[in-house]
Amino acid sequence: MENMFWPLKISLVASLIVLACVGPFSAASAQGNDLPGPRQNGTTSDIVTPLQKAADTSMRLVPKEGVRTNIDQFDNQLSKQTPKSSEMIDGLIYKPDAIPLTQYRHDYKGMGGLTQQISETGDKRPSYYLAIYSGSTNGVYFKVASKICELIRKTYAEHRVHCVPLRSQGVGSNVELMKEGRVQVAIVQSNTNWEAQNGIRPIPGARSVMSLHDEMGLLVVRKDANIHSINDLRNKRLNVGPEDSASRALWIQLLKKYDIELKDLAKVYGVAQDYSRIGICDNYIDAYGLWIGHPAEPIQDTLGCDAVVVGMGGGPTEELVHDNNYFFNQTLPANTYEGQDKQIKSFGFKASLIAYEPANPYVIYWLTRIVHQHLDQLREMLPVFRGVNADDMYEKGNFLPFHKGAACYWETDPHACDWQNTYVAHNAENAENAEAPGLVKPTNRKDPKYQDTN
């Protein structure tokens, strides 16, 4: 009997030997350890670094074509991956962050991208969602987006739009996120949408909404440096920002107008603007400049180190503004900063609100309307809006075509609100009532009650 099972025993032992050999190899392969080691001659050119290993592993974790991921999370798929047709609107990929998929997925249960929610009270009227990409948490852009959302929250009964500010790494990040279809609305600078409109740095699907606050250029200088204008920067120590940064490009453009080259400066630093305060306080630099909404905390913090603010105005600056219509002459009101008892002449950009073309026109309409009609409240909520003129929000810095929701509010032409003809308002109780939330009632922005009283 024992001999009968001898072949089976041999086969079993052989299988165990094979598994013992193959098992560790397979496990190593699954963990990414099947990578080339040092060459036999002792060189290390083929040794895999931790970063290379991480990159190899990440490639293995990329979702395969056709595998559905959570569409409401950040997009972590390869940009070359072909998006699903349900994520495309008029040829543009659209899956915005922080927005329920029912708000933008055309094929979601046949609802055309609109949500039909029923609250605990039985309210069947729809809710809408808006996310505004801004900048860093401590930056001006995030504060602006937060206050806009606060206004929208306070007026929710008019429009039923929920709003949330989203953090980002700034203008460049906002542009890239829009290119990936992850943005409804974002804050950029007026030169950004000028370059997009003129094909210098295109942003497919980008549309204007409105201009916001001024982003004025201002010098922060040591009191003992004897700097009173751009002309006084020769033979001074200056931080112009890192290579390829927007700050450095602006500095070179401005200094050129004053016939100043970097070699004419005593010392040039190319570090991030976050370090400028240290440079002033520890006497490494004589000056730095910021194009930002004012008052700004980085400048406030630096003034405690025996520093003052100086404008960038002057004849050559006037020429620069004249030659580039995305620049604007600007004035800093007196007493914006401690010790600044007179207004200061300078120049800069407009912060601009842009929207992605596939974004719901109803949502963009109400965003535009609420911000413009509540400008006085914004002035009280945020000092950067104190110098904003209501008409400038439409007339300055909007180089891209207006998003159709914004165009309806601004009444850019007699047909600007035609999109409402095909707009489906999910309002079970008051569909015929033009005042009901969920419907747009066009408002003449030139009505006296909406005129700027500043």
Side-chain angles (χ1 to χ4, degrees), residues 14-27:
S15 299
L16 289 173
I17 292 173
V18 171
L19 286 173
C21 294
V22 175
F25 176 80
S26 299

Side-chain angles (χ1 to χ4, degrees), residues 231 254 257-258 314-321:
N231 265 323
L254 178 60
K257 279 292 181 181
Y258 285 81
T317 301
E318 293 283 344
E319 292 180 15
L320 185 65
V321 172

Side-chain angles (χ1 to χ4, degrees), residues 287-328:
Y288 71 89
L290 280 181
W291 283 263
I292 197 171
H294 301 280
E297 288 183 17
I299 293 178
Q300 295 271 30
D301 293 343
T302 310
L303 296 183
C305 295
D306 234 15
V308 294
V309 289
V310 173
M312 295 181 175
T317 301
E318 293 283 344
E319 292 180 15
L320 185 65
V321 172
H322 180 269
D323 294 344
N324 300 275
N325 60 354
Y326 49 81
F327 286 138
F328 302 95

Side-chain angles (χ1 to χ4, degrees), residues 143 218-220 277 280-281 288 290 292-309 332 335-340 383-384 386:
K143 293 177 181 177
L218 209 58
L219 280 170
V220 184
R277 178 186 176 279
I280 290 286
C281 295
Y288 71 89
L290 280 181
I292 197 171
H294 301 280
E297 288 183 17
I299 293 178
Q300 295 271 30
D301 293 343
T302 310
L303 296 183
C305 295
D306 234 15
V308 294
V309 289
L332 186 74
N335 301 313
T336 301
Y337 291 102
E338 184 178 350
Q340 177 231 333
V384 294
R386 289 175 185 167

Side-chain angles (χ1 to χ4, degrees), residues 142-370:
F142 185 78
K143 293 177 181 177
V144 168
S146 298
K147 294 304 180 183
I148 289 175
C149 285
E150 185 177 327
L151 275 178
I152 291 176
R153 185 165 53 252
K154 290 179 178 179
T155 57
Y156 177 77
E158 294 182 55
H159 44 69
R160 299 181 66 83
V161 175
H162 299 281
C163 182
V164 60
L166 298 181
R167 296 171 295 177
S168 76
Q169 296 180 23
V171 172
S173 174
N174 293 345
V175 169
E176 291 306 312
L177 288 166
M178 183 169 284
K179 289 179 179 179
E180 295 174 13
R182 292 168 53 181
V183 170
Q184 281 180 305
V185 174
I187 303 176
V188 297
Q189 292 174 315
S190 53
N191 66 314
T192 306
N193 56 45
W194 183 88
E195 291 174 349
Q197 175 62 15
N198 287 276
I200 298 172
R201 293 180 179 84
I203 313 173
R207 295 291 181 265
S208 288
V209 176
M210 64 170 63
S211 288
L212 298 172
H213 57 278
D214 289 344
E215 300 222 274
M216 182 188 304
L218 209 58
L219 280 170
V220 184
V221 306
R222 290 179 56 86
K223 287 182 180 178
D224 58 9
N226 196 30
I227 298 173
H228 306 286
S229 71
I230 297 294
N231 265 323
D232 297 328
L233 290 176
R234 285 185 177 83
N235 299 315
K236 302 297 183 181
R237 302 167 298 171
L238 182 67
N239 179 27
V240 298
E243 290 283 352
D244 299 322
S245 67
S247 174
R248 192 183 190 95
L250 280 168
W251 265 120
I252 292 174
Q253 189 177 13
L254 178 60
L255 291 172
K256 185 177 181 181
K257 279 292 181 181
Y258 285 81
D259 294 324
I260 300 175
E261 298 182 27
L262 295 183
K263 66 181 182 180
D264 298 324
L265 302 174
K267 193 168 186 63
V268 177
Y269 286 90
V271 299
Q273 294 295 344
D274 293 347
Y275 297 99
S276 292
R277 178 186 176 279
I278 297 174
I280 290 286
C281 295
D282 292 351
N283 198 18
Y284 293 122
I285 61 175
D286 298 307
Y288 71 89
L290 280 181
W291 283 263
I292 197 171
H294 301 280
E297 288 183 17
I299 293 178
Q300 295 271 30
D301 293 343
T302 310
L303 296 183
C305 295
D306 234 15
V308 294
V309 289
V310 173
M312 295 181 175
T317 301
E318 293 283 344
E319 292 180 15
L320 185 65
V321 172
H322 180 269
D323 294 344
N324 300 275
N325 60 354
Y326 49 81
F327 286 138
F328 302 95
N329 290 313
Q330 296 171 349
T331 301
L332 186 74
N335 301 313
T336 301
Y337 291 102
E338 184 178 350
Q340 177 231 333
D341 55 1
K342 296 181 181 179
Q343 67 179 20
I344 293 177
K345 298 288 186 181
S346 194
F347 84 109
F349 308 97
K350 292 284 186 182
S352 298
L353 207 57
I354 62 172
Y356 198 39
E357 188 175 4
N360 190 334
Y362 173 84
V363 172
I364 304 304
Y365 169 88
W366 276 104
L367 165 65
T368 312
R369 178 170 170 173
I370 292 301

